[in-house]
Amino acid sequence: MSGDKIIQKIEEEAKQDAAAIGAAAQEKARKEKERILAKAQEEVREIQAKSQVDAKEAAGRLQLIAELQSRKENLASKRKVLQEAFDRAAGQLEALPQEQWEKLIGRIVLGSDLTGRETLVVPAKDRPRYENGFLARLNGELKAQGREGALALSDKAADFADGVLIEGENCDYDGSFATLLEDVRTGEEYRVAELLFGAEVK
């Protein structure tokens, strides 16, 4: 075989090898491309699915927050109405006519566990009411009940606006209207709220 033929054969074999290598490389590249594309598509689907879940969760959280805020505002509104109801009650107590005022104070004093020798601490504005015969009538009621009728007014004025503080030898009784209203509110808030709103205000 001449040198030219040998060279030609080598070149042909080299071309065939190159073609085979090229084809193999192209096939490998195609498969790698398909693998990468398939993986990318799978990741896209996973991201989309996660995004949908996240979107649903976010929407759920937003709805929950909105419901909680609405409930909070609703309860605040109900509390405001309830407070206004007790504020009006306090205003009515402050403006009681003399006869009704005496009945209320009488119930507070005479309904307490008294010996009849206690001291009454009253607001300065109410002192004339007691001194103009009311204190004497209270003592008369106590005597009629078989108790000592020796209630006396304290020299000091009460530090509350309305009501009476009964100072005894062993204990004191706070009969201020503010304290009485607070006691009523504590015990009756559920019932008042139910009357106003048909449900409990927590």
mmCIF file of all heavy atoms in Angstrom, residues 39-73:
data_model
loop_
_atom_site.group_PDB
_atom_site.id
_atom_site.type_symbol
_atom_site.label_atom_id
_atom_site.label_comp_id
_atom_site.label_asym_id
_atom_site.label_seq_id
_atom_site.Cartn_x
_atom_site.Cartn_y
_atom_site.Cartn_z
ATOM 1 N N LYS A 39 -35.751 18.737 34.692
ATOM 2 C CA LYS A 39 -35.542 19.129 36.091
ATOM 3 C C LYS A 39 -36.052 20.543 36.332
ATOM 4 O O LYS A 39 -36.703 20.834 37.345
ATOM 5 C CB LYS A 39 -34.055 19.036 36.438
ATOM 6 C CG LYS A 39 -33.771 19.343 37.899
ATOM 7 C CD LYS A 39 -32.283 19.192 38.214
ATOM 8 C CE LYS A 39 -32.039 19.524 39.688
ATOM 9 N NZ LYS A 39 -30.602 19.431 40.029
ATOM 10 N N ALA A 40 -35.737 21.429 35.357
ATOM 11 C CA ALA A 40 -36.188 22.815 35.479
ATOM 12 C C ALA A 40 -37.713 22.887 35.490
ATOM 13 O O ALA A 40 -38.317 23.622 36.283
ATOM 14 C CB ALA A 40 -35.612 23.658 34.344
ATOM 15 N N GLN A 41 -38.361 22.107 34.607
ATOM 16 C CA GLN A 41 -39.819 22.091 34.543
ATOM 17 C C GLN A 41 -40.414 21.552 35.850
ATOM 18 O O GLN A 41 -41.429 22.057 36.341
ATOM 19 C CB GLN A 41 -40.278 21.255 33.343
ATOM 20 C CG GLN A 41 -40.002 21.916 32.006
ATOM 21 C CD GLN A 41 -40.334 21.021 30.840
ATOM 22 O OE1 GLN A 41 -40.410 19.790 30.999
ATOM 23 N NE2 GLN A 41 -40.530 21.612 29.670
ATOM 24 N N GLU A 42 -39.765 20.514 36.408
ATOM 25 C CA GLU A 42 -40.222 19.950 37.678
ATOM 26 C C GLU A 42 -40.094 20.979 38.807
ATOM 27 O O GLU A 42 -40.995 21.142 39.638
ATOM 28 C CB GLU A 42 -39.407 18.697 38.012
ATOM 29 C CG GLU A 42 -39.808 18.032 39.323
ATOM 30 C CD GLU A 42 -41.240 17.534 39.338
ATOM 31 O OE1 GLU A 42 -41.798 17.261 38.246
ATOM 32 O OE2 GLU A 42 -41.807 17.427 40.447
ATOM 33 N N GLU A 43 -38.980 21.715 38.802
ATOM 34 C CA GLU A 43 -38.782 22.748 39.809
ATOM 35 C C GLU A 43 -39.819 23.867 39.662
ATOM 36 O O GLU A 43 -40.321 24.401 40.654
ATOM 37 C CB GLU A 43 -37.363 23.317 39.705
ATOM 38 C CG GLU A 43 -36.295 22.333 40.189
ATOM 39 C CD GLU A 43 -34.892 22.891 40.036
ATOM 40 O OE1 GLU A 43 -34.744 23.971 39.420
ATOM 41 O OE2 GLU A 43 -33.947 22.250 40.523
ATOM 42 N N VAL A 44 -40.111 24.193 38.385
ATOM 43 C CA VAL A 44 -41.138 25.215 38.138
ATOM 44 C C VAL A 44 -42.481 24.762 38.686
ATOM 45 O O VAL A 44 -43.205 25.523 39.338
ATOM 46 C CB VAL A 44 -41.240 25.527 36.625
ATOM 47 C CG1 VAL A 44 -42.498 26.341 36.335
ATOM 48 C CG2 VAL A 44 -40.007 26.279 36.155
ATOM 49 N N ARG A 45 -42.821 23.469 38.430
ATOM 50 C CA ARG A 45 -44.096 22.939 38.940
ATOM 51 C C ARG A 45 -44.122 22.957 40.477
ATOM 52 O O ARG A 45 -45.132 23.286 41.094
ATOM 53 C CB ARG A 45 -44.323 21.516 38.409
ATOM 54 C CG ARG A 45 -44.758 21.474 36.953
ATOM 55 C CD ARG A 45 -45.265 20.093 36.566
ATOM 56 N NE ARG A 45 -44.185 19.096 36.569
ATOM 57 C CZ ARG A 45 -43.416 18.824 35.526
ATOM 58 N NH1 ARG A 45 -43.584 19.478 34.371
ATOM 59 N NH2 ARG A 45 -42.484 17.888 35.603
ATOM 60 N N GLU A 46 -42.980 22.583 41.076
ATOM 61 C CA GLU A 46 -42.914 22.595 42.545
ATOM 62 C C GLU A 46 -43.066 24.013 43.095
ATOM 63 O O GLU A 46 -43.769 24.243 44.086
ATOM 64 C CB GLU A 46 -41.574 22.002 43.007
ATOM 65 C CG GLU A 46 -41.482 20.492 42.820
ATOM 66 C CD GLU A 46 -40.122 19.956 43.221
ATOM 67 O OE1 GLU A 46 -39.268 20.774 43.629
ATOM 68 O OE2 GLU A 46 -39.915 18.732 43.122
ATOM 69 N N ILE A 47 -42.395 24.956 42.432
ATOM 70 C CA ILE A 47 -42.489 26.366 42.866
ATOM 71 C C ILE A 47 -43.923 26.866 42.722
ATOM 72 O O ILE A 47 -44.462 27.547 43.606
ATOM 73 C CB ILE A 47 -41.516 27.247 42.050
ATOM 74 C CG1 ILE A 47 -40.072 26.906 42.438
ATOM 75 C CG2 ILE A 47 -41.819 28.725 42.268
ATOM 76 C CD1 ILE A 47 -39.029 27.546 41.550
ATOM 77 N N GLN A 48 -44.552 26.505 41.576
ATOM 78 C CA GLN A 48 -45.935 26.925 41.361
ATOM 79 C C GLN A 48 -46.865 26.327 42.416
ATOM 80 O O GLN A 48 -47.741 27.006 42.964
ATOM 81 C CB GLN A 48 -46.391 26.529 39.958
ATOM 82 C CG GLN A 48 -45.750 27.348 38.855
ATOM 83 C CD GLN A 48 -46.137 26.848 37.476
ATOM 84 O OE1 GLN A 48 -46.498 25.678 37.297
ATOM 85 N NE2 GLN A 48 -46.059 27.738 36.494
ATOM 86 N N ALA A 49 -46.665 25.027 42.697
ATOM 87 C CA ALA A 49 -47.504 24.367 43.704
ATOM 88 C C ALA A 49 -47.296 24.996 45.081
ATOM 89 O O ALA A 49 -48.251 25.262 45.815
ATOM 90 C CB ALA A 49 -47.172 22.876 43.746
ATOM 91 N N LYS A 50 -46.031 25.236 45.410
ATOM 92 C CA LYS A 50 -45.723 25.862 46.702
ATOM 93 C C LYS A 50 -46.308 27.272 46.754
ATOM 94 O O LYS A 50 -46.820 27.713 47.792
ATOM 95 C CB LYS A 50 -44.214 25.903 46.926
ATOM 96 C CG LYS A 50 -43.823 26.350 48.326
ATOM 97 C CD LYS A 50 -42.327 26.253 48.531
ATOM 98 C CE LYS A 50 -41.953 26.559 49.981
ATOM 99 N NZ LYS A 50 -42.369 27.863 50.430
ATOM 100 N N SER A 51 -46.207 27.979 45.629
ATOM 101 C CA SER A 51 -46.748 29.336 45.581
ATOM 102 C C SER A 51 -48.249 29.329 45.828
ATOM 103 O O SER A 51 -48.777 30.196 46.530
ATOM 104 C CB SER A 51 -46.447 29.985 44.224
ATOM 105 O OG SER A 51 -45.051 30.123 44.046
ATOM 106 N N GLN A 52 -48.928 28.320 45.239
ATOM 107 C CA GLN A 52 -50.377 28.218 45.448
ATOM 108 C C GLN A 52 -50.694 27.936 46.908
ATOM 109 O O GLN A 52 -51.598 28.528 47.483
ATOM 110 C CB GLN A 52 -50.952 27.129 44.549
ATOM 111 C CG GLN A 52 -50.949 27.491 43.071
ATOM 112 C CD GLN A 52 -51.471 26.364 42.202
ATOM 113 O OE1 GLN A 52 -51.685 25.253 42.680
ATOM 114 N NE2 GLN A 52 -51.661 26.649 40.926
ATOM 115 N N VAL A 53 -49.910 27.016 47.514
ATOM 116 C CA VAL A 53 -50.112 26.707 48.941
ATOM 117 C C VAL A 53 -49.832 27.939 49.789
ATOM 118 O O VAL A 53 -50.595 28.290 50.683
ATOM 119 C CB VAL A 53 -49.204 25.537 49.371
ATOM 120 C CG1 VAL A 53 -49.249 25.367 50.887
ATOM 121 C CG2 VAL A 53 -49.632 24.247 48.671
ATOM 122 N N ASP A 54 -48.704 28.612 49.470
ATOM 123 C CA ASP A 54 -48.342 29.819 50.221
ATOM 124 C C ASP A 54 -49.410 30.897 50.056
ATOM 125 O O ASP A 54 -49.740 31.608 51.013
ATOM 126 C CB ASP A 54 -46.989 30.357 49.747
ATOM 127 C CG ASP A 54 -45.834 29.451 50.174
ATOM 128 O OD1 ASP A 54 -46.055 28.595 51.049
ATOM 129 O OD2 ASP A 54 -44.732 29.605 49.626
ATOM 130 N N ALA A 55 -49.935 31.009 48.832
ATOM 131 C CA ALA A 55 -50.967 32.016 48.575
ATOM 132 C C ALA A 55 -52.225 31.715 49.374
ATOM 133 O O ALA A 55 -52.840 32.616 49.955
ATOM 134 C CB ALA A 55 -51.281 32.073 47.080
ATOM 135 N N LYS A 56 -52.601 30.413 49.432
ATOM 136 C CA LYS A 56 -53.775 30.028 50.212
ATOM 137 C C LYS A 56 -53.562 30.293 51.689
ATOM 138 O O LYS A 56 -54.442 30.798 52.390
ATOM 139 C CB LYS A 56 -54.096 28.550 49.981
ATOM 140 C CG LYS A 56 -54.692 28.257 48.617
ATOM 141 C CD LYS A 56 -55.005 26.772 48.477
ATOM 142 C CE LYS A 56 -55.596 26.469 47.102
ATOM 143 N NZ LYS A 56 -55.878 25.028 46.924
ATOM 144 N N GLU A 57 -52.336 29.937 52.156
ATOM 145 C CA GLU A 57 -52.027 30.169 53.574
ATOM 146 C C GLU A 57 -52.024 31.664 53.886
ATOM 147 O O GLU A 57 -52.529 32.096 54.925
ATOM 148 C CB GLU A 57 -50.669 29.559 53.921
ATOM 149 C CG GLU A 57 -50.684 28.033 53.945
ATOM 150 C CD GLU A 57 -49.322 27.455 54.264
ATOM 151 O OE1 GLU A 57 -48.342 28.241 54.330
ATOM 152 O OE2 GLU A 57 -49.225 26.219 54.450
ATOM 153 N N ALA A 58 -51.452 32.448 52.970
ATOM 154 C CA ALA A 58 -51.412 33.901 53.174
ATOM 155 C C ALA A 58 -52.822 34.472 53.189
ATOM 156 O O ALA A 58 -53.156 35.314 54.028
ATOM 157 C CB ALA A 58 -50.583 34.560 52.072
ATOM 158 N N ALA A 59 -53.652 33.984 52.261
ATOM 159 C CA ALA A 59 -55.042 34.449 52.219
ATOM 160 C C ALA A 59 -55.775 34.057 53.496
ATOM 161 O O ALA A 59 -56.555 34.844 54.053
ATOM 162 C CB ALA A 59 -55.747 33.862 51.004
ATOM 163 N N GLY A 60 -55.504 32.833 53.976
ATOM 164 C CA GLY A 60 -56.124 32.386 55.220
ATOM 165 C C GLY A 60 -55.697 33.241 56.402
ATOM 166 O O GLY A 60 -56.519 33.595 57.252
ATOM 167 N N ARG A 61 -54.386 33.551 56.435
ATOM 168 C CA ARG A 61 -53.890 34.397 57.524
ATOM 169 C C ARG A 61 -54.515 35.779 57.471
ATOM 170 O O ARG A 61 -54.907 36.343 58.497
ATOM 171 C CB ARG A 61 -52.363 34.506 57.452
ATOM 172 C CG ARG A 61 -51.632 33.255 57.933
ATOM 173 C CD ARG A 61 -50.161 33.531 58.166
ATOM 174 N NE ARG A 61 -49.467 33.889 56.945
ATOM 175 C CZ ARG A 61 -48.897 33.017 56.121
ATOM 176 N NH1 ARG A 61 -48.950 31.727 56.391
ATOM 177 N NH2 ARG A 61 -48.279 33.427 55.041
ATOM 178 N N LEU A 62 -54.613 36.341 56.270
ATOM 179 C CA LEU A 62 -55.222 37.673 56.121
ATOM 180 C C LEU A 62 -56.684 37.656 56.562
ATOM 181 O O LEU A 62 -57.154 38.595 57.216
ATOM 182 C CB LEU A 62 -55.107 38.141 54.668
ATOM 183 C CG LEU A 62 -53.705 38.529 54.191
ATOM 184 C CD1 LEU A 62 -53.714 38.851 52.701
ATOM 185 C CD2 LEU A 62 -53.194 39.739 54.975
ATOM 186 N N GLN A 63 -57.388 36.590 56.205
ATOM 187 C CA GLN A 63 -58.794 36.488 56.599
ATOM 188 C C GLN A 63 -58.921 36.374 58.116
ATOM 189 O O GLN A 63 -59.778 37.008 58.730
ATOM 190 C CB GLN A 63 -59.439 35.274 55.924
ATOM 191 C CG GLN A 63 -60.938 35.158 56.237
ATOM 192 C CD GLN A 63 -61.582 34.005 55.483
ATOM 193 O OE1 GLN A 63 -60.941 33.359 54.679
ATOM 194 N NE2 GLN A 63 -62.840 33.762 55.755
ATOM 195 N N LEU A 64 -58.041 35.562 58.718
ATOM 196 C CA LEU A 64 -58.059 35.405 60.177
ATOM 197 C C LEU A 64 -57.765 36.732 60.869
ATOM 198 O O LEU A 64 -58.440 37.104 61.832
ATOM 199 C CB LEU A 64 -57.037 34.357 60.600
ATOM 200 C CG LEU A 64 -56.921 34.094 62.107
ATOM 201 C CD1 LEU A 64 -58.257 33.610 62.666
ATOM 202 C CD2 LEU A 64 -55.821 33.088 62.403
ATOM 203 N N ILE A 65 -56.763 37.451 60.357
ATOM 204 C CA ILE A 65 -56.422 38.759 60.930
ATOM 205 C C ILE A 65 -57.599 39.717 60.813
ATOM 206 O O ILE A 65 -57.927 40.451 61.752
ATOM 207 C CB ILE A 65 -55.178 39.343 60.226
ATOM 208 C CG1 ILE A 65 -53.933 38.519 60.607
ATOM 209 C CG2 ILE A 65 -54.970 40.801 60.591
ATOM 210 C CD1 ILE A 65 -52.703 38.858 59.793
ATOM 211 N N ALA A 66 -58.251 39.697 59.645
ATOM 212 C CA ALA A 66 -59.410 40.581 59.437
ATOM 213 C C ALA A 66 -60.541 40.229 60.393
ATOM 214 O O ALA A 66 -61.195 41.117 60.958
ATOM 215 C CB ALA A 66 -59.883 40.474 57.981
ATOM 216 N N GLU A 67 -60.782 38.924 60.581
ATOM 217 C CA GLU A 67 -61.845 38.494 61.495
ATOM 218 C C GLU A 67 -61.525 38.888 62.933
ATOM 219 O O GLU A 67 -62.404 39.349 63.671
ATOM 220 C CB GLU A 67 -62.035 36.982 61.394
ATOM 221 C CG GLU A 67 -62.675 36.530 60.088
ATOM 222 C CD GLU A 67 -62.718 35.017 59.946
ATOM 223 O OE1 GLU A 67 -62.164 34.326 60.825
ATOM 224 O OE2 GLU A 67 -63.282 34.528 58.954
ATOM 225 N N LEU A 68 -60.265 38.709 63.333
ATOM 226 C CA LEU A 68 -59.851 39.079 64.690
ATOM 227 C C LEU A 68 -59.974 40.587 64.903
ATOM 228 O O LEU A 68 -60.435 41.042 65.951
ATOM 229 C CB LEU A 68 -58.414 38.629 64.956
ATOM 230 C CG LEU A 68 -58.204 37.118 65.091
ATOM 231 C CD1 LEU A 68 -56.717 36.802 65.203
ATOM 232 C CD2 LEU A 68 -58.951 36.576 66.306
ATOM 233 N N GLN A 69 -59.576 41.365 63.894
ATOM 234 C CA GLN A 69 -59.671 42.817 63.999
ATOM 235 C C GLN A 69 -61.124 43.252 64.089
ATOM 236 O O GLN A 69 -61.481 44.141 64.875
ATOM 237 C CB GLN A 69 -58.990 43.474 62.788
ATOM 238 C CG GLN A 69 -58.953 44.991 62.836
ATOM 239 C CD GLN A 69 -58.134 45.532 63.982
ATOM 240 O OE1 GLN A 69 -57.216 44.876 64.452
ATOM 241 N NE2 GLN A 69 -58.472 46.710 64.462
ATOM 242 N N SER A 70 -61.965 42.611 63.275
ATOM 243 C CA SER A 70 -63.392 42.927 63.298
ATOM 244 C C SER A 70 -63.998 42.605 64.655
ATOM 245 O O SER A 70 -64.779 43.391 65.213
ATOM 246 C CB SER A 70 -64.119 42.143 62.200
ATOM 247 O OG SER A 70 -65.521 42.341 62.287
ATOM 248 N N ARG A 71 -63.620 41.444 65.211
ATOM 249 C CA ARG A 71 -64.132 41.048 66.523
ATOM 250 C C ARG A 71 -63.643 42.008 67.603
ATOM 251 O O ARG A 71 -64.395 42.398 68.499
ATOM 252 C CB ARG A 71 -63.682 39.624 66.852
ATOM 253 C CG ARG A 71 -64.299 39.062 68.121
ATOM 254 C CD ARG A 71 -63.987 37.576 68.271
ATOM 255 N NE ARG A 71 -64.682 37.039 69.433
ATOM 256 C CZ ARG A 71 -64.174 37.016 70.657
ATOM 257 N NH1 ARG A 71 -62.969 37.515 70.868
ATOM 258 N NH2 ARG A 71 -64.850 36.521 71.667
ATOM 259 N N LYS A 72 -62.367 42.407 67.483
ATOM 260 C CA LYS A 72 -61.796 43.345 68.445
ATOM 261 C C LYS A 72 -62.549 44.673 68.405
ATOM 262 O O LYS A 72 -62.890 45.240 69.452
ATOM 263 C CB LYS A 72 -60.320 43.565 68.115
ATOM 264 C CG LYS A 72 -59.603 44.519 69.046
ATOM 265 C CD LYS A 72 -58.144 44.664 68.645
ATOM 266 C CE LYS A 72 -57.425 45.691 69.507
ATOM 267 N NZ LYS A 72 -56.019 45.880 69.065
ATOM 268 N N GLU A 73 -62.802 45.184 67.203
ATOM 269 C CA GLU A 73 -63.519 46.452 67.065
ATOM 270 C C GLU A 73 -64.953 46.319 67.561
ATOM 271 O O GLU A 73 -65.495 47.242 68.172
ATOM 272 C CB GLU A 73 -63.484 46.912 65.613
ATOM 273 C CG GLU A 73 -62.092 47.330 65.137
ATOM 274 C CD GLU A 73 -62.043 47.645 63.663
ATOM 275 O OE1 GLU A 73 -63.103 47.543 62.990
ATOM 276 O OE2 GLU A 73 -60.950 48.007 63.165
#
